[in-house]
């Protein structure tokens, strides 16, 4: 967003100096490195808001299971924007939402602590749906979306807004 992105273009001591294209092109590699690190920091901070995945019946959790990329694929990896009260936002939609809807407010509450929140109420619903469907708690959201799209996972509550399978996704179902 505007607030956080400005730091990629200039250092704090350059803030009073006009920005020009030469400065940007001269520092393009550094900007790319910063952006890559920023995306990882966002993913890591969002994953840290969530509880660890359930332990397997045998053995212990692998580092692979607690890797931020894998944590953000879990059915319970849904987030909430406390500024506008929008929920059911998975990664990267939560960050896209923040950039679009709150461009002048930092994504960060403090260092490595996002303003976004883990949507605990939605996670409870997600866990209940996954359990009722007989699926693993680690089933990635993409697989859940595919089950929804194929009509094998659906809501039978009778709400007419949930009838259009073509537009249904896991976050919307939850």
């Amino acid at each position: 967003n505007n607030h956080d992105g400005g730091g990629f273009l200039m250092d704090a001591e350059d803030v009073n100096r006009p920005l020009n294209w030469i400065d940007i092109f001269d520092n393009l590699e550094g900007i790319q490195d910063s952006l890559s690190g920023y995306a990882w920091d966002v993913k890591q901070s969002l994953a840290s808001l969530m509880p660890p995945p359930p332990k397997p019946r045998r053995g212990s959790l692998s580092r692979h299971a607690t890797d931020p990329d894998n944590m953000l694929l879990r059915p319970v990896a849904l987030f909430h924007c406390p500024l506008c009260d929008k929920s059911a936002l998975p990664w990267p939609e939560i960050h896209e939402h923040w950039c679009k809807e709150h461009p002048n407010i930092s994504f960060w509450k403090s260092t490595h602590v996002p303003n976004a929140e883990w949507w605990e109420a939605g996670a409870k619903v997600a866990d209940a749906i996954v359990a009722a469907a007989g699926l693993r708690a680690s089933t990635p959201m993409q697989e859940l979306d595919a089950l929804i799209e194929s009509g094998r996972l659906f809501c039978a509550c009778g709400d007419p807004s949930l009838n259009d399978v073509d537009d249904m996704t896991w976050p919307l179902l939850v």
Side-chain angles (χ1 to χ4, degrees), residues 1-2 46 48-49 52 55 57 62 65 70-71 75 90 104 109 113 145-146 164 169:
N1 67 5
N2 296 342
L46 290 170
S48 74
L49 297 175
K55 290 189 177 189
R57 293 175 200 219
S62 68
N70 292 318
M71 291 282 289
N104 297 314
K109 190 181 301 184
V113 177
D145 284 338
D164 192 2
T169 62

Side-chain angles (χ1 to χ4, degrees), residues 75 78 86-90 93 119 122 125-126 129 141 144-145 148 153-155 157 159 161-174:
L78 299 170
K86 185 167 180 161
S87 295
L89 296 165
E93 283 84 0
W119 189 37
V125 173
I129 294 170
M141 267 193 245
L144 297 168
D145 284 338
I148 292 167
L153 182 61
F154 58 91
C155 179
C157 71
D159 181 346
S161 69
L162 296 176
N163 287 341
D164 192 2
V165 176
D166 293 335
D167 294 331
M168 184 58 61
T169 62
W170 175 250
L172 289 174
L173 182 66
V174 173

Side-chain angles (χ1 to χ4, degrees), residues 8 15 35 46 100-101 117 135 138 153 167:
F8 300 124
V15 83
L35 286 172
L46 290 170
K100 182 179 175 188
E101 299 300 324
E117 300 169 345
L135 299 168
S138 61
L153 182 61
D167 294 331

Side-chain angles (χ1 to χ4, degrees), residues 70-144:
N70 292 318
M71 291 282 289
L72 295 174
L73 295 176
R74 291 175 47 209
V76 297
L78 299 170
F79 300 92
H80 169 80
C81 175
L83 296 184
C84 60
D85 209 31
K86 185 167 180 161
S87 295
L89 296 165
W91 163 261
E93 283 84 0
I94 182 63
H95 192 258
E96 292 165 2
H97 164 82
W98 199 273
C99 291
K100 182 179 175 188
E101 299 300 324
H102 315 295
N104 297 314
I105 300 171
S106 177
F107 184 74
W108 306 105
K109 190 181 301 184
S110 62
T111 305
H112 300 292
V113 177
N115 268 308
E117 300 169 345
W118 178 58
W119 189 37
E120 188 173 357
K124 290 176 182 176
V125 173
D127 278 337
I129 294 170
V130 168
L135 299 168
R136 296 178 332 275
S138 61
T139 303
M141 267 193 245
Q142 292 87 343
E143 286 183 34
L144 297 168

